[in-house]
Amino acid sequence: MLTVQRNESMSDYMTGVLSNENGVICYTLEPGKERDPHPAIPAGTYPIEFRKEGGVYAWMSSDLTNRAGSDEQRAVAQQFIDNGVPHILVDGRGLIEIHIGNTSTDTEGCTLLGLTDNGQGSIGQSTQAYYKAYPIILQNTQIQYLDA
């Protein structure tokens, strides 16, 4: 199972780390719990499904393909095209996804991934983190969110 351990919680963003039984995969960035109208999802365990539709799927399919600089990254881009964007099923909420982005303004309730935590609601190297994390996410059917 994947786990997001939230570390820093501000009114408009939360940072944390995504991990599994093998250790830390990358950093995470989400909207803050008080952000209106798209706050962070509550702590808990949620199923993951994959969707091959919608705006995030369309732009990320293109972005991952165009930025791929190695055969391994091209393979991840193809996995994304074949399987879709990870969609976290949260009761009462729609379209909560795991996608690329670098600041809290890049998310409307979703979880963003990065290789660096730049502080003050910013993560870096999001696309590179996605190439690393996506094959691992594909192997999981649940994700757990833990508050600090």
Side-chain angles (χ1 to χ4, degrees):
M1 179 177 4
L2 295 169
T3 300
V4 172
Q5 177 61 61
R6 295 164 167 163
N7 297 325
E8 180 182 21
S9 181
M10 305 300 282
S11 62
D12 60 340
Y13 71 87
M14 291 194 303
T15 58
V17 294
L18 176 68
S19 64
N20 66 5
E21 63 277 358
N22 295 320
V24 172
I25 301 165
C26 61
Y27 292 98
T28 62
L29 179 64
E30 302 170 77
K33 290 181 182 179
E34 300 169 22
R35 188 163 133 193
D36 188 40
H38 304 286
I41 62 174
T45 301
Y46 303 98
I48 302 172
E49 290 184 350
F50 294 85
R51 298 179 61 244
K52 296 194 304 183
E53 61 186 0
V56 171
Y57 174 72
W59 71 258
M60 280 192 53
S61 294
S62 174
D63 196 58
L64 290 170
T65 300
N66 293 335
R67 292 181 181 219
S70 68
D71 288 343
E72 183 179 340
Q73 290 176 345
R74 282 186 278 284
V76 172
Q78 190 60 54
Q79 284 180 318
F80 183 87
I81 291 166
D82 293 344
N83 294 284
V85 64
H87 180 217
I88 303 164
L89 302 177
V90 180
D91 287 341
R93 300 280 298 270
L95 300 177
I96 304 297
E97 299 165 327
I98 300 174
H99 64 80
I100 294 169
N102 295 104
T103 68
S104 60
T105 59
D106 295 332
T107 176
E108 293 182 349
C110 300
T111 300
L112 309 178
L113 305 181
L115 290 182
T116 61
D117 180 350
N118 301 335
Q120 298 185 347
S122 173
I123 55 176
Q125 298 179 301
S126 186
T127 302
Q128 297 304 314
Y130 214 85
Y131 287 129
K132 177 182 178 184
Y134 189 76
I136 299 168
I137 296 169
L138 270 178
Q139 299 172 9
N140 288 271
T141 60
Q142 290 188 315
I143 187 165
Q144 180 180 38
Y145 285 78
L146 302 171
D147 288 339

